[in-house]
Amino acid sequence: MRRKRGRDDPSDIWASFGLSSRVWTQKHFLRQDEVDMLLGLNVAWTPIVNSDGERDPSRFQHILKRSLATRVEELLSNRLLEHGLYEHPCITKAAMLKSVASGASQKFHTDLPANADARSGSILVALEPGAHIYILAQDGMTYIRLEFEPGDAVWFDAHVVHAGGSYAKTNIRLHAHVFEGQPGKDHASIYLLKAPTRHVRIVTIAAA
């Protein structure tokens, strides 16, 4: 897999937290008309169920299906190819995510099993202002708040520990799993038993 630095990718920051080549960001990954198309979808929200079987009262999802899923997966695949992040990207489980106002932050977790290929990962694209995600540094104690705006994207590999933040008002994003060549194992989030204790930095995708 070829991993080029995104145009606005703060690679030096990720390196300082032991995350070189494991987190990639790109400003304006999707065009505004593509963002508007996704926000204009008629969706049926369902609660996100955590790995322990509990429903997350703060987050909901709408998994894209049939022709729409194919269209969005092709769009994401083509953009990842353009940026050189994958040679043969395979997108699965493209879904709209919604965080409700005043909901709690997520528990820190990984999106895929511990034995997942490191070339697999997740991509998250902001569709509304104020999107953010917490990413755990390699030391397992400190975490970074990454902020991004509509059309901006962040990709992280299968073993990067992260958490969705809380929002003052409803926020919608696009999420999908990415594999090299062919789909990997089904989604199986792994949650940390102990939360990190130090929040040390806020990073924006516009950072250089």
Side-chain angles (χ1 to χ4, degrees), residues 76-197:
L76 295 175
S77 292
N78 289 336
R79 295 295 160 79
L80 290 170
L81 278 170
E82 290 172 12
H83 292 293
L85 197 62
Y86 281 81
E87 295 180 356
H88 304 286
C90 177
I91 309 294
T92 67
K93 296 192 175 178
M96 305 284 283
L97 299 184
K98 179 175 75 170
S99 293
V100 300
S102 303
S105 295
Q106 245 181 342
K107 295 179 181 178
F108 277 84
H109 64 282
T110 61
D111 278 351
L112 295 164
N115 61 352
D117 190 313
R119 295 176 300 172
S120 59
S122 297
I123 187 165
L124 185 67
V125 184
L127 300 179
E128 293 185 320
H132 58 276
I133 188 172
Y134 300 122
I135 295 177
L136 186 66
Q138 188 66 35
D139 64 10
M141 297 177 62
T142 59
Y143 64 95
I144 305 102
R145 175 181 165 121
L146 175 66
E147 300 179 343
F148 48 123
E149 294 303 313
D152 298 351
V154 56
W155 171 94
F156 43 89
D157 77 31
H159 306 297
V160 168
V161 179
H162 61 283
S166 60
Y167 289 86
K169 61 181 182 180
T170 298
N171 188 274
I172 297 175
R173 304 165 302 285
L174 175 68
H175 178 274
H177 293 157
V178 192
F179 300 92
E180 178 63 50
Q182 59 185 0
K185 293 186 177 181
D186 288 341
H187 172 92
S189 296
I190 305 299
Y191 287 80
L192 294 189
L193 296 178
K194 183 177 180 180
T197 57

Side-chain angles (χ1 to χ4, degrees), residues 45-63 95-99 106 109 111 173 175 187 189 191:
W45 298 108
T46 58
I48 291 177
V49 179
N50 296 331
S51 59
D52 54 10
E54 295 182 356
R55 292 188 175 189
D56 186 339
S58 302
R59 287 165 191 82
F60 296 81
Q61 67 179 348
H62 174 79
I63 298 176
M96 305 284 283
L97 299 184
K98 179 175 75 170
S99 293
Q106 245 181 342
H109 64 282
D111 278 351
R173 304 165 302 285
H175 178 274
H187 172 92
S189 296
Y191 287 80

